[in-house]
Amino acid sequence: MIQCSDDVFESVMELARRRGFIWPTSECYGAVAGFIDYGPLGAMMKRRVENIWRDFYIVQEGYYEIECPTIAQEAVFIASGHVRGFSDKMCQCPHCREYLRADHVAEGGNIKNASVMKNEELAAAITSCTCPACEETLGDVEVFNFNLMFSTTIGPGSQRVGYLRPETAQGMFVDFSRLLRFYRDKLPFGAVQIGKSYRNEISPRQGMIRLREFTQAEAEIFVHPLEKNHHPSFRRYKEYRMPLLTYIQQQRCEEPLELSMQEAVDKGIIANEYVAYYVALTHQLLVTIGIRPERLRFRQHLPDERAHYATDCWDAEVFSPRFGWVETVGIADRTDYDLRAHAAQSGTPMTVFIQYNEPKKTIRRRIIPNMSVLGKQYRTKAKAVFAALEAAVPTAEGADIEVGDEKIHIPSHLFEIRDEVIDTRGEDIVPHVIEPSYGIDRMCYAVLEQAYDEDTADGEKRTVMRLSPQVAPVQVAVFPLMTRDGLDTIADDITRAFHKNGILAEYDDSGAIGRRYRRQDEIGTPFAVTVDYDTKEDHTVTVRDRDTMEQVRVPIAELTGTVRALVEGQITFASLKSKI
Ligand code: GAP
């Protein structure tokens, strides 16, 4: 059971600021809420998290990355629905004038289902809630919709409206035709994008959880609508088990169900193999970056919470003692909604031609007009009448057509209906889209929060960031015991050897060795190498493990290979120790 006393938010943020992970942006002018800077260590850690994500989606799934502008023209967001509907419910505190998210105020006051209430209903519900800024009782307030997109104009003096993208996804939808050609006109295929998204959040008070500029990593996987239950690699995860908080469990206030992905699909709990596959992959990815499984759950959207076009949606939620369960990744079956919307707005068809294995014999009904009679009767309009007739649905009495504003009845003796058998090679279909959407900043916050720990070393309090070696910014520290007798030169050579092998090593020769360990423990460096006087004799060094503080001696000749294997998780420190 996780206790609220586990709340390490203040300590993590203090360490993050002091040691260069995260700090407020443009502090010298007074920081602006909803924006943060990643410092030297934070930027490196974030890059490592992003690269693990890339490894899963680009290397292992084979979905290539694209990079679209962060500003797009208005038409894109009219089609996507963001111009019309991408808004949050806002109210203003009558006492301190602070703008507030009305649904969050309601949730703070334990009012259920606030996110699905109408504005008037929500306004009535929150009258007795307290303002989170000034703590006065709100009283009567108006609740209205506030669009979260940042708008701009494109070009000097231009009237052309543009928006900063609120998600990376739209770039991949509007590039559909080019991507289809790149993937040689075959389904399924996917594209991924990682980059900044912008939302003018009303009241971002939750550190890295709610930002106005944040990094998303999204995949759009285009599949045949009838093939969603046939993921080509489903066997990779069919036995993968995890707790699933289904919408029924939530409605009944029950505990999550522990199921394999195969069971979840067979029981109809997860809509299809594609969604189940990315639920499991997301679980594995989040555990890889250092999220503890007991602080991770997958929650299905309730029917009234789900976007109207989505058939199924699961959120990966990470528990934070400060913020509760935080949505960190969303995995949705978005059906054909986005492609149809962009096709309608742009006039560009967004379909895939699916060729049948064998051509299908189909009957095509043709309506052949009696040209000589109708030609004379309609003269200049005859061409339009023939065209309308061909598209008409005739009855025994004849066909009713429209030419311009004129409604015309053509009696049945003036045309012939002919059924022709034709070979059809295939059909045009609009693919469905499965979308796993990751919030990189929320992932980074969860990693930092869960890594923070305090214990005792040599009788003193030790602060240690137990970061997974795969995301730790500095991968190994190198210390000469003394800065004389050639120990510093050996340590310097070892550091350079690490660098040449792509391992980020930090050389440190200042202060007592214990202090140097403490400095590295605090930034999560998983391993430290010490060069001592024995090194000169036997060409070995000590390698110290951050978490256990145990040490082993490793020959310098094997050092880079050993540290690489430790950092990449191919071996554990315990296995290294038992081998020696
Ligand atoms: N294309 C789908 C989409 O954008 P979303 O649930 O709105 O879905 C996906 O966003 C993820 O982006 C979220 O799960 C969250 O991790 C992250 N995210 C959304 N808004 C955010 C914000 N204001 N600050 C930080 N991360 C945010």
Side-chain angles (χ1 to χ4, degrees), residues 362-423:
T362 50
I363 294 179
R364 188 174 61 186
R365 174 155 289 191
R366 291 194 59 205
I367 300 175
I368 318 284
N370 184 329
M371 303 259 193
S372 57
V373 177
L374 291 173
K376 271 190 210 135
Q377 193 174 338
Y378 290 103
R379 294 177 185 276
T380 51
K381 272 192 284 186
K383 221 170 149 189
V385 168
F386 296 157
L389 194 54
E390 273 197 39
V393 183
T395 62
E397 283 76 46
D400 292 312
I401 58 170
E402 274 183 40
V403 175
D405 292 337
E406 197 183 346
K407 290 188 182 357
I408 303 175
H409 177 76
I410 311 282
S412 54
H413 68 274
L414 291 182
F415 58 85
E416 182 196 338
I417 298 175
R418 217 181 272 165
D419 283 339
E420 295 173 351
V421 178
I422 54 159
D423 279 342

Side-chain angles (χ1 to χ4, degrees), residues 275 299-302 306-307 310-315 330-333:
V275 174
R299 190 184 68 79
Q300 189 170 36
H301 278 205
L302 295 161
R306 205 165 53 212
T311 52
D312 197 11
C313 188
W314 290 80
D315 283 344
I331 300 142
D333 178 343

Side-chain angles (χ1 to χ4, degrees), residues 228 272 275 309-312 331-335 432-435:
K228 289 194 283 189
N272 55 57
V275 174
Y309 50 81
T311 52
D312 197 11
I331 300 142
D333 178 343
R334 299 178 65 110
T335 66
H432 281 200
V433 173
I434 311 296
E435 179 193 70

Side-chain angles (χ1 to χ4, degrees), residues 75 82 235 332 377 430 457:
H82 286 94
R235 68 193 159 81
Q377 193 174 338
V430 182

Side-chain angles (χ1 to χ4, degrees), residues 167 199 201 209 211 216 218 327-328 435 437 439 442:
E167 58 177 11
R199 297 183 190 178
E201 296 285 353
I209 303 292
L211 295 169
Q216 282 189 317
E218 298 193 289
E327 176 209 325
T328 304
E435 179 193 70
S437 171
R442 291 187 185 178

